[in-house]
Amino acid sequence: MEWSEFAQRFALELANLDRDTILIVRERDESRHYVQAMREPDRLYAEAVSNNFLEGPLLLGPSDEEVLTEAGWRPPTPDWTPANWWTELPPDTGPPGFAVLADMMVTALRDVQGVRRPLDLVYESFHRQGAGLIELTGFGLEPADPQRIADRRPSPIAAPVNGAPPPAHPSLEDRLADARLRGDHLAYFDLLLGAELLLPAGGPGAEAAASAEFQTAQRDGVTHVLAFTSVQAQGAAGYAGLHRRTTFAALARSWPDPSWHLTINLDLPSEIQLDAAMILRLDTMHRASPETTLVEPVPAPPPAPAVPAPAPAGQAIRLPHGAQLWSDLGLLAVFDAVSGGWTPAGRTA
């Protein structure tokens, strides 16, 4: 999930926050980095943490406070009423106002508090006089303490702006599923290689010592390592719970067994299965030409030649002119050493 998508989800949650309900969004590993909002009878009140609650390297500098001011935040008062940077929205605020507030909160988290990406955030939502936490099923973040969840709120529905329906912002899984449905390998692999992958904690079904690090499943006698592109996808497939984060490149470099396959988003419309050879080919192509977009495969009957061995760790891969990238669909692309990029199959001289 990118910051722009997170801001849109945040705006919906703010717009649908119930009276006397508090929503706190904080950094997973540094709880003093946070923003929060509470729906009061006559306003929606929001805060971003100030130096009153920070110390040492976490203290905000003058440039940080300037960013908050320019974003629209008001500074804390000397008597601590309030003690944080703050703002408020009137009760008749419409969707554009919530979008502005969500952008302000993203600015505080990302540009001032230094949160690298939305997946580094967790949330807590609760009624001021209640007990337990509320699960926000459409927020796209993990709850800070799943054991304390006592209530669930379904995904909010966006309200129209100026009488027109809001633009659709499909999730990564939706975009992957759409690319797969259209047979657009170019778009699919571009999305996949740039995404963060979640690896569920290993469980029953592990057959080797190496599989203790992975959740695996058996399909047609083949061991498949399971990975997902979001917490929601992991839960929808029935593997909610502990996981670790990685990337396609990191997973390819530490692939545990050449006989194993990789299944991403098991049993979902965005699912894909890759064998070890294809994992290596995609990773080699991605690292050899990091600024070149993946090429669209063109079916061809010839068998694939041997896969070039990966370069030693820490060394750049140098491919010879004319190196070919193959998949089970046929020839994908040919490497041009002069330009340093890949030429789609069918466009070579």
Side-chain angles (χ1 to χ4, degrees):
M1 180 167 57
E2 300 175 352
W3 283 110
S4 58
E5 179 185 347
F6 171 66
Q8 293 155 9
R9 292 175 182 245
F10 208 166
L12 284 177
E13 296 297 344
L14 293 170
N16 289 273
L17 199 61
D18 294 331
R19 179 172 171 173
D20 293 326
T21 299
I22 298 169
L23 173 59
I24 302 173
V25 176
R26 66 171 177 84
E27 189 173 7
R28 182 188 305 273
D29 298 326
E30 179 46 76
S31 60
R32 289 171 291 181
H33 280 164
Y34 66 86
V35 295
Q36 59 187 7
M38 183 174 74
R39 173 73 71 178
E40 299 178 347
D42 58 345
R43 64 175 181 171
L44 177 68
Y45 178 72
E47 291 187 337
V49 68
S50 76
N51 281 343
N52 288 325
F53 302 98
L54 300 173
E55 58 185 9
L58 299 181
L59 285 171
L60 306 181
S63 61
D64 296 321
E65 296 184 333
E66 183 178 356
V67 170
L68 289 171
T69 299
E70 291 179 350
W73 291 100
R74 305 180 193 179
T77 59
D79 61 355
W80 286 40
T81 57
N84 278 323
W85 291 82
W86 67 283
T87 190
E88 61 184 358
L89 296 178
D92 58 349
T93 297
F98 294 112
V100 169
L101 177 56
D103 287 340
M104 291 171 59
M105 299 178 101
V106 165
T107 296
L109 291 166
R110 180 191 60 205
D111 301 338
V112 175
Q113 299 173 21
V115 179
R116 292 179 54 245
R117 53 191 176 179
L119 287 177
D120 291 333
L121 297 168
V122 293
Y123 74 91
E124 295 180 39
S125 184
F126 52 91
H127 295 293
R128 183 163 54 178
Q129 304 299 331
L133 300 180
I134 304 169
E135 181 181 9
L136 307 178
T137 60
F139 201 9
L141 300 183
E142 294 181 352
D145 188 354
Q147 302 301 320
R148 294 176 55 204
I149 295 293
D151 193 8
R152 168 179 288 192
R153 195 180 76 186
S155 302
I157 300 175
V161 180
N162 298 327
H169 297 284
S171 66
L172 174 59
E173 287 76 40
D174 290 337
R175 287 180 287 163
L176 287 168
D178 177 67
R180 179 186 175 188
L181 181 64
R182 292 184 288 105
D184 189 345
H185 301 83
L186 165 67
Y188 191 100
F189 288 127
D190 271 347
L191 291 169
L192 183 63
L193 293 181
E196 182 177 60
L197 297 180
L198 306 186
L199 299 176
E207 298 178 346
S211 67
E213 299 182 17
F214 303 98
Q215 176 69 56
T216 60
Q218 291 294 314
R219 283 187 162 188
D220 299 324
V222 177
T223 298
H224 288 249
V225 172
L226 303 183
F228 298 91
T229 52
S230 72
V231 173
Q232 290 71 32
Q234 180 180 331
Y239 289 89
L242 297 176
H243 57 259
R244 58 188 176 93
R245 290 176 166 80
T246 188
T247 62
F248 188 93
L251 185 59
R253 288 194 296 269
S254 61
W255 192 246
D257 190 314
S259 69
W260 288 7
H261 291 192
L262 172 66
T263 294
I264 298 174
N265 291 347
L266 176 71
D267 294 333
L268 301 179
S270 56
E271 176 186 322
I272 191 172
Q273 300 179 31
L274 302 170
D275 61 22
M278 190 59 186
I279 293 170
L280 177 60
R281 290 178 184 133
L282 288 172
D283 180 55
T284 299
M285 181 177 183
H286 185 58
R287 288 187 290 142
S289 186
E291 296 181 0
T292 301
T293 305
L294 283 173
V295 297
E296 185 173 4
V298 178
V307 180
Q315 296 184 15
I317 294 177
R318 298 182 180 276
L319 295 180
H321 180 75
Q324 297 178 343
L325 179 70
W326 292 76
S327 76
D328 55 354
L329 296 175
L331 180 64
L332 298 182
V334 178
F335 186 73
D336 181 359
V338 176
S339 65
W342 291 88
T343 301
R347 300 183 191 173
T348 57

